[in-house]
Amino acid sequence: MSANLYIRRRTPFLLFEIDLVKATDQQLLEVSRGLGIGLNLQEMKAVRQYFRDKKRNPTDVELQTIGQTWSEHCFHKTFKGKIKAGEKEIDGLFKTYIVKVVEEINPKWCFSVFEDNAGIIRFDRDYGVAIKVETHNHPSAIEPFGGAATGVGGVIRDILGVWADPIACTDVLGFGPLDFEYEKLPTGVKHPKYVYMGVVAGIGSYGNNMGIPTVNGAIYFDESYTGNVVVYCGCIGLLPLKKFRRNVTPSDIIVLAGGKTGRDGIHGVTFASAELTGKSEEISRPAVQIANPIEEEKLKRAIIAIRDLELASAITDLGGGGLSSAVGETAKRFGCGAVVELEKVPLKYEDLAPWEIYVSESQERMLLAVPLANLEKVLEIFENEDVEASVIGKYTADNILQIYYQGEKVADMDIPFLFKPPKTTKKAEFKPVTFKEPFFPEPKNLTETLLQLLVSPNIASKENVIRSYDHEVKGNTVLKPLQGEWAGPNDAAIIKPLKGSWKGVAISCGMNPNYGKIDAYWMAASAIDEAIRNNVAVGGRRIALLDNFTWGNPEKSERLGSLVKACEACYDFATAFKTPFISGKDSLYNESPLGPITPTLLITALGIVPDIRLAVSMDVKAPKDSIYIVGKTYAELGGSEYYKLKGFVGRNVPQVRSANARKIFATITRAIDLGLVKACHDLSEGGLGVSAAEMAFAGGYGMELYLQKVPKRNVSRNDFALFSESNSRFLVEVSQEAKTEFEALMNDKACAEIGKVTKTQRLCIYGLNDKAVIDASLSDLSTSWKRTFSSGVLA
Amino acid sequence: MKREEIKVCVLRVGGTNCDAETKRAFEELGVQTDIIHANEVVRRRNLLQYHVLVFPGGFSYGDYVRAGAIWAKWILAKLGKELKAFVNENRPILGICNGFQVLVEAGLLPSFSKMSPYPEATLTMNLPPGYNCRWIYLKQENQGKCVFTWNIPKGKVLHVPVAHSEGRFLFTKEKQDQFLERLYENDQLVFRYCDKKGEYAEGSFPTNPNGSFHDIAGICNAEGTIFGLMPHPERAFYWWQQPDWTRQTQMPQYGDGKIILEGVIEYLTKKF
């Protein structure tokens, strides 16, 4: 390290100037590394030029501020930058594929999209629903409990950051196999079982303590998640749209409220924008914050009170980048400058350098802009809730960010410069995969195969996890994650947020990482289809989507290539389904000594249920009812759980035929509204076999089904018909009285009655040659399904 | 006293989080209900304006130390005089989940003769360990002393949810038989965990969701005016909160939670 580049300023506290003006290119990179700000040469050169023009050297506070603001985590350089993909040049993935959907569809019900901490849609005339899903992969890999808990805490603050009251959480997790061999773990990688226990406990702890029901989620297991755990934390909130305030004017006061600031969470964003290595733990442990949900609960009460009294002009959370992001982004958004006095920030302990105070990501803090006239009242509200709140500065009419510490000016930068990092151009390459369709004979005993599938970790019941989350608090959970006495898996959860209204919010998700191994395009398409059909299955419609990408290092061209493909699918299918993206987040650089992560796109769907009294659960309700399959079955087993069980990946990944799918979704919605649907369950991992089993044991009745009657194409084997994972399919229970009407509704769709609900407690499925291929008791099916996580791997 | 004259105070502090649904349930019963921060009650000294005091569910002050311990000591220190007056006047107090833990930690339950200066029982870590959110069945055990449940027939089975990690009701080992006897003698036992048919759980999970001694889910004090329970009646109040409503063709308008909360209202309308 070129120590002579760092010049200590004569101040009673630690402050350095960095001799950037004279620094060589080599030294620029050393400074970037030395300060841990993660900027590349092109960016460091832009910084040098800026300070050469200013004819002075930057302080450490300034460089740190730039480092935070320009980090991948804060600025999303990959999604905003240019990408060269062969002949094609994409000017921003985000603009080209994600935002374009909402621009083209332009629905009236989108209130605020990709502008604030969370997306907001209209719920009814007066209320809006805000939703955000965050990734917290890197911190959870280092410290599973704290990483996951602060992930939840962070996303709840995103919801508070749009003045919404949190009403539900959704969490989707990905772990390595829980029986991973200890000997094979590289240094610095924690065992999946340890990570699993910590993450699940962290999520439960935060949501439960804050009293926000965790109502939706999923858990996936994949080898590639061993070194890179996947933690998606989502939160949904409700806000009276009239109370939504964002109109900062110069001279508004900057109020910092909530927890004290400490050294936890320093450089979280830079850490999140780098690969994990054997040394990550040692170097980056301070990057993980410490959670205190009760602090956030109090903060929430105060913020809602301030919102209702309309006392503040803007609000934002302190997340990645701490004060540096929150102050900078607010000033930029409202075309202001800001003056901040760092000594006014309450600290956990003495001796923090000014740059540490400015970039610390300590939890449970929110930043408000308050007109001077309302300041006293705002501070009083915080005090009544036992929340510390401090005036730390004000917004100004110029475009300059000025930071002081104990009277000394420690930063002075133009805000426009801060938000104009040099645009990067990255190269993307599309590499076809080499997987082939496997050839193997049809197993003789498919009942055994079905039981094995029910045991497999991606399908098995997650009841133990779901029950460790409070999914009932607030008393508004109409459709619960576990259905009824036998705890079947509902496709989506429904919340009834308003006392005087039957309107509900349906929350569901879709994720198919295994398809991503074969084809990122169809993986993304499938995730979108799955999220939507889960929502449709319970009665949701007018669906909005969220995209959450977890990818490997985008500097590597084939990783970026698959990201481009997934984004293309996002555009194609969200447009086709008329389901706009309203928010999202990406987590890149998910690489560990065990290699890159399987490209994983989580799609969260938020639907509206006009009247929750018509909501549909997945359990069969009565013997003699008819069971219909809606949607065509293809020989699409590439990436399926069935192939996985047999040790293959395969090639024929499920596709989405959007024109047909749209019609199917609309008709299911219509049938639900007409009250014709007694139960509805989507077909996903494990296909028809698993779906039928779940419906049966959840309802406590058997089923007799005939594969011959299933509408299908090129499917000539019983196992393929049973376990194909073709998209856009449902199993629907219809009473004898409703049959005619239901069939008339479905007339031109791929739909057929394939059997009946029976009083006998057995699932019997007859094969293509009309012989029984599945014959299992409900208790065997449900015992297998529940076994994995109640004893098995965790014993 | 008329129903609409009755005033219920739902008290809260940092970490309380079931206050809104508790208020909603009481309001549905036709009584005035306020959610008030304990800080404000200390400032305004207005506790005795209320007829019923409710400690709702949540994680008061983070439940550090032991669940309910901090709030219990806080309230004795800051509002001890008013609270004692409230108790001495036999005004009803309800503790749900964390509220039950607070009442036990404050010595207000079981309170065999009068307020105990130290906790006589505990609600400790569940067995099996960990947070557990599920619907369970309760059997009404009280002979009629408890002012909250006097109108529920003895032996009636109720369906309500629990959600907690510290709900295992225990007495000290040496005194547990003696204390249990006193609970019966004084008619202080209110709810025990049982199965759908009303058979006691006898400690078996998940029928008894936390390993409570004698399957105890709720008790009252010797006067019958202070009542604490681990399950959440406010989450079983409306039909659409029930776990199996999608299976039913006809649902009663309310769930079993309603009958647990309305007894005290009827008691007050009759008594005063």
Side-chain angles (χ1 to χ4, degrees):
Chain A
M1 193 156 104
S2 313
N4 55 352
L5 287 176
Y6 298 83
I7 306 147
R8 167 114 199 234
R9 218 188 258 181
R10 285 164 187 273
T11 45
F13 50 88
L14 266 187
L15 180 71
F16 287 93
E17 278 178 23
I18 294 94
D19 193 356
L20 221 56
V21 171
K22 282 188 263 149
T24 63
D25 288 1
Q26 181 57 32
Q27 285 172 323
L28 286 180
L29 283 174
E30 281 172 28
V31 168
S32 175
R33 265 197 304 274
L35 293 179
I37 54 180
L39 297 182
N40 64 27
L41 184 60
Q42 186 195 1
E43 292 159 338
M44 283 304 287
K45 278 181 173 171
V47 177
R48 180 175 61 190
Q49 194 53 51
Y50 177 76
F51 285 99
R52 276 183 180 165
D53 294 345
K54 284 194 105 146
K55 299 195 173 56
R56 69 168 174 89
N57 277 318
T59 63
D60 51 5
V61 181
E62 288 172 322
L63 284 185
Q64 292 287 354
T65 303
I66 296 168
Q68 300 291 311
T69 314
W70 292 6
S71 69
E72 179 67 53
H73 186 91
C74 291
F75 209 82
H76 307 284
K77 288 181 280 196
T78 303
F79 269 78
K80 285 184 184 164
K82 286 191 175 151
I83 293 173
K84 268 191 107 119
E87 297 298 294
K88 205 159 133 187
E89 194 175 283
I90 304 156
D91 191 8
L93 283 174
F94 181 63
K95 211 166 64 186
T96 315
Y97 297 115
I98 308 292
V99 180
K100 206 165 147 202
V101 182
V102 72
E103 285 172 356
E104 284 183 12
I105 306 175
N106 194 21
K108 282 198 196 99
W109 43 268
C110 282
F111 181 80
S112 163
V113 176
F114 291 112
E115 281 181 19
D116 297 282
N117 295 30
I120 307 172
I121 58 165
R122 287 180 189 279
F123 178 64
D124 63 8
R125 214 186 54 203
D126 303 323
Y127 284 88
V129 174
I131 180 164
K132 171 80 175 195
V133 180
E134 272 280 2
T135 49
H136 233 218
N137 303 344
H138 282 65
S140 305
I142 299 293
E143 211 281 87
F145 181 93
T150 54
V152 177
V155 81
I156 292 171
R157 284 197 307 281
D158 279 326
I159 293 303
L160 294 175
V162 293
W163 295 116
D165 193 359
I167 56 170
C169 284
T170 164
D171 298 282
V172 176
L173 313 172
F175 303 100
L178 296 188
D179 52 2
F180 198 88
E181 273 179 65
Y182 273 92
E183 294 70 31
K184 286 192 187 160
L185 280 180
T187 321
V189 175
K190 296 183 168 65
H191 192 272
K193 205 188 279 184
Y194 174 82
V195 179
Y196 168 88
M197 309 270 279
V199 166
V200 167
I203 287 185
S205 151
Y206 213 100
N208 295 352
N209 274 266
M210 274 203 72
I212 302 170
T214 302
V215 297
N216 179 65
I219 301 179
Y220 289 85
F221 296 89
D222 188 274
E223 287 273 340
S224 78
Y225 298 158
T226 307
N228 306 275
V229 58
V230 177
V231 177
Y232 289 122
C233 308
C235 186
I236 295 109
L238 187 75
L239 71 150
L241 292 170
K242 261 197 234 152
K243 305 279 182 186
F244 185 72
R245 284 284 172 285
R246 44 172 187 198
N247 50 352
V248 173
T249 44
S251 83
D252 279 357
I253 306 295
I254 306 176
V255 175
L256 174 66
K260 290 183 195 294
T261 301
R263 260 189 203 103
D264 49 324
I266 299 264
H267 284 165
V269 296
T270 355
F271 161 58
S273 311
E275 294 182 15
L276 291 170
T277 67
K279 285 196 168 161
S280 288
E281 165 112 36
E282 212 177 301
I283 298 166
S284 303
R285 181 61 189 84
V288 185
Q289 311 93 352
I290 298 162
N292 180 2
I294 301 306
E295 185 65 40
E296 194 149 304
E297 202 277 329
K298 296 187 290 179
L299 195 53
K300 177 193 88 177
R301 302 264 186 177
I303 286 167
I304 299 303
I306 291 165
R307 171 196 79 184
D308 289 345
L309 295 170
E310 302 172 40
L311 295 172
S313 54
I315 183 167
T316 190
D317 79 313
L318 276 80
L323 273 173
S324 74
S325 297
V327 172
E329 282 169 18
T330 308
K332 189 215 161 207
R333 174 158 189 180
F334 298 100
C336 303
V339 178
V340 178
E341 294 166 303
L342 287 178
E343 73 276 5
K344 300 208 169 140
V345 174
L347 301 181
K348 291 185 180 176
Y349 27 76
E350 298 291 299
D351 292 337
L352 259 68
W355 72 267
E356 289 179 305
I357 301 173
Y358 202 54
V359 306
S360 161
E361 294 173 14
S362 286
Q363 291 288 291
E364 290 93 25
R365 299 180 303 159
M366 299 289 293
L367 197 73
L368 284 83
V370 180
L372 186 60
N374 301 339
L375 183 62
E376 203 177 324
K377 183 71 193 151
V378 165
L379 295 177
E380 187 191 317
I381 289 173
F382 280 119
E383 197 190 330
N384 287 348
E385 294 292 339
D386 296 331
V387 173
E388 191 165 3
S390 318
V391 170
I392 63 160
K394 64 176 185 186
Y395 293 104
T396 56
D398 53 21
N399 263 312
I400 300 167
L401 171 69
Q402 297 176 76
I403 306 172
Y404 291 87
Y405 188 65
Q406 296 179 4
E408 177 97 5
K409 190 182 253 188
V410 296
D412 186 343
M413 286 186 291
D414 303 292
I415 302 239
F417 159 74
L418 257 181
F419 288 89
K420 244 183 246 139
K423 247 193 184 173
T424 57
T425 302
K426 291 194 170 95
K427 219 177 109 201
E429 217 179 336
F430 307 117
K431 267 201 182 154
V433 291
T434 51
F435 296 116
K436 289 199 172 63
E437 273 296 291
F439 289 100
F440 61 96
E442 181 178 316
K444 291 219 166 56
N445 185 346
L446 286 172
T447 302
E448 188 53 39
T449 309
L450 176 59
L451 292 171
Q452 285 168 351
L453 277 171
L454 287 167
V455 170
S456 64
N458 285 347
I459 292 174
S461 170
K462 313 294 185 300
E463 179 172 352
N464 281 17
V465 173
I466 296 167
R467 294 215 185 279
S468 75
Y469 304 151
D470 191 342
H471 45 266
E472 306 255 14
V473 61
K474 291 188 187 290
N476 292 334
T477 314
V478 172
L479 202 63
K480 304 166 202 298
L482 297 169
Q483 180 54 39
E485 202 171 330
W486 293 280
N490 267 332
D491 290 320
I494 301 180
I495 298 279
K496 176 188 169 308
L498 293 172
K499 192 179 167 188
S501 160
W502 291 112
K503 216 171 197 181
V505 181
I507 305 134
S508 60
C509 56
M511 184 162 127
N512 305 89
N514 222 28
Y515 304 169
K517 290 174 185 160
I518 305 168
D519 189 321
Y521 182 86
W522 290 116
M523 177 270 273
S526 297
I528 291 172
D529 190 274
E530 187 184 12
I532 296 175
R533 69 178 188 259
N534 276 327
N535 216 292
V536 167
V538 301
R541 77 253 358 229
R542 216 196 75 183
I543 291 166
L545 301 179
L546 285 85
D547 57 282
N548 284 84
F549 293 86
T550 289
W551 240 256
N553 185 342
E555 323 281 338
K556 296 173 186 169
S557 57
E558 81 276 10
R559 312 259 204 281
L560 193 58
S562 67
L563 185 63
V564 170
K565 283 285 171 208
C567 287
E568 285 175 3
C570 282
Y571 170 75
D572 292 348
F573 292 93
T575 314
F577 288 125
K578 297 214 182 316
T579 48
F581 289 103
I582 58 165
S583 175
K585 189 76 193 246
D586 54 285
S587 165
L588 310 175
Y589 300 91
N590 287 278
E591 311 231 353
S592 78
L594 285 167
I597 201 158
T598 300
T600 301
L601 171 65
L602 166 68
I603 297 289
T604 307
L606 181 74
I608 301 293
V609 181
D611 187 336
I612 59 102
R613 289 171 291 189
L614 286 171
V616 173
S617 60
M618 52 70 69
D619 48 332
V620 290
K621 309 291 190 300
K624 294 193 188 131
D625 283 350
S626 293
I627 297 292
Y628 289 84
I629 188 167
V630 183
K632 200 177 265 180
T633 304
Y634 300 81
E636 293 175 322
L637 289 108
S640 69
E641 282 297 318
Y642 178 56
Y643 273 7
K644 193 174 181 183
L645 186 73
K646 295 283 163 199
F648 304 111
V649 174
R651 184 80 191 85
N652 293 341
V653 68
Q655 303 193 357
V656 178
R657 290 116 189 132
S658 52
N660 286 334
R662 250 186 82 184
K663 279 189 212 145
I664 288 173
F665 294 160
T667 318
I668 292 278
T669 304
R670 180 97 186 101
I672 289 175
D673 287 352
L674 290 170
L676 306 174
V677 177
K678 288 180 79 177
C680 184
H681 194 23
D682 96 304
L683 275 66
S684 51
E685 290 90 349
L688 170 60
V690 166
S691 218
E694 288 172 345
M695 283 180 89
F697 62 65
Y701 294 114
M703 278 190 201
E704 205 176 270
L705 305 176
Y706 297 87
L707 291 182
Q708 266 190 348
K709 297 186 181 167
V710 173
K712 50 195 167 298
R713 194 160 161 198
N714 296 333
V715 180
S716 52
R717 290 169 54 150
N718 292 311
D719 53 347
F720 287 8
L722 278 170
F723 306 126
S724 160
E725 296 183 7
S726 288
N727 284 303
S728 329
R729 293 182 304 157
F730 301 87
L731 281 180
V732 179
E733 179 189 10
V734 178
S735 72
Q736 295 311 302
E737 299 78 64
K739 269 182 76 169
T740 324
E741 207 180 336
F742 182 76
E743 284 174 10
L745 209 58
M746 288 290 167
N747 67 4
D748 57 336
K749 324 282 177 310
C751 169
E753 181 180 354
I754 58 165
K756 291 218 155 45
V757 180
T758 61
K759 209 162 182 184
T760 8
Q761 303 265 309
R762 298 191 80 77
L763 175 66
C764 295
I765 303 182
Y766 294 89
L768 299 171
N769 56 1
D770 242 358
K771 283 189 188 145
V773 288
I774 303 270
D775 183 13
S777 75
L778 297 190
S779 81
D780 283 352
L781 292 166
S782 104
T783 309
S784 296
W785 186 63
K786 290 190 175 181
R787 193 176 71 207
T788 313
F789 294 94
S790 55
S791 52
V793 282
L794 289 176
Chain B
M1 178 183 244
K2 286 189 195 141
R3 208 169 250 251
E4 55 275 19
E5 288 166 9
I6 297 172
K7 287 170 83 177
V8 177
C9 170
V10 177
L11 210 55
R12 72 174 178 96
V13 290
T16 303
N17 60 36
C18 300
D19 44 314
E21 53 269 43
T22 306
K23 174 181 154 96
R24 178 177 69 184
F26 275 107
E27 281 180 342
E28 183 84 20
L29 294 170
V31 297
Q32 300 175 47
T33 311
D34 295 330
I35 296 171
I36 311 184
H37 198 291
N39 285 352
E40 202 181 325
V41 181
V42 170
R43 216 170 18 246
R44 291 170 50 187
R45 300 274 154 199
N46 58 351
L47 190 60
L48 291 163
Q49 289 173 11
Y50 292 92
H51 307 102
V52 184
L53 175 60
V54 183
F55 291 87
F59 289 77
S60 52
Y61 297 111
D63 275 350
Y64 303 120
V65 189
R66 278 192 315 273
I70 301 176
W71 197 8
K73 299 297 173 234
W74 188 97
I75 201 121
L76 291 174
K78 302 232 178 176
L79 280 172
K81 228 168 101 186
E82 282 91 339
L83 189 66
K84 271 179 200 140
F86 206 94
V87 172
N88 291 337
E89 291 174 24
N90 281 336
R91 301 194 196 196
I93 301 179
L94 171 65
I96 303 170
C97 196
N98 189 232
F100 185 18
Q101 294 161 339
V102 172
L103 294 178
V104 169
E105 286 290 336
L108 289 166
L109 282 176
S111 183
F112 293 112
S113 48
K114 53 182 189 321
M115 254 175 98
S116 164
Y118 51 85
E120 295 168 301
T122 183
L123 287 154
T124 188
M125 306 285 190
N126 289 357
L127 263 185
Y131 199 91
N132 207 304
C133 174
R134 64 169 69 240
W135 284 69
I136 47 86
Y137 293 93
L138 296 175
K139 197 166 185 176
Q140 208 287 97
E141 298 287 322
N142 203 262
Q143 312 274 1
K145 182 177 266 181
C146 176
V147 303
F148 287 83
T149 58
W150 63 274
N151 59 343
I152 310 175
K154 185 167 184 292
K156 189 174 165 69
V157 176
L158 305 171
H159 198 204
V160 286
V162 291
H164 58 252
S165 58
E166 295 177 55
R168 181 158 53 115
F169 185 90
L170 288 183
F171 289 124
T172 52
K173 201 94 189 160
E174 314 82 73
K175 291 191 180 162
Q176 72 178 32
D177 295 336
Q178 181 202 337
F179 279 5
L180 182 64
E181 214 167 287
R182 290 178 77 178
L183 283 184
Y184 275 106
E185 268 170 27
N186 296 345
D187 194 19
Q188 289 183 252
L189 203 61
V190 182
F191 287 133
R192 291 180 66 192
Y193 299 110
C194 65
D195 67 13
K196 206 175 178 174
K197 293 185 193 119
E199 300 290 328
Y200 296 121
E202 305 291 355
S204 71
F205 180 83
T207 314
N208 174 336
N210 50 35
S212 275
F213 168 65
H214 200 60
D215 301 323
I216 290 175
I219 57 166
C220 64
N221 66 344
E223 282 72 34
T225 50
I226 306 178
F227 171 44
L229 76 170
M230 285 315 292
H232 288 274
E234 78 281 12
R235 300 185 190 180
F237 197 86
Y238 298 101
W239 62 266
W240 48 266
Q241 293 172 316
Q242 313 298 309
D244 59 348
W245 71 265
T246 54
R247 294 186 73 74
Q248 313 299 332
T249 38
Q250 277 288 304
M251 281 297 287
Q253 197 182 352
Y254 295 103
D256 289 344
K258 184 180 177 229
I259 199 173
I260 300 175
L261 299 177
E262 75 186 346
V264 70
I265 308 300
E266 285 176 30
Y267 163 80
L268 287 171
T269 52
K270 290 207 170 90
K271 176 140 193 232
F272 299 101

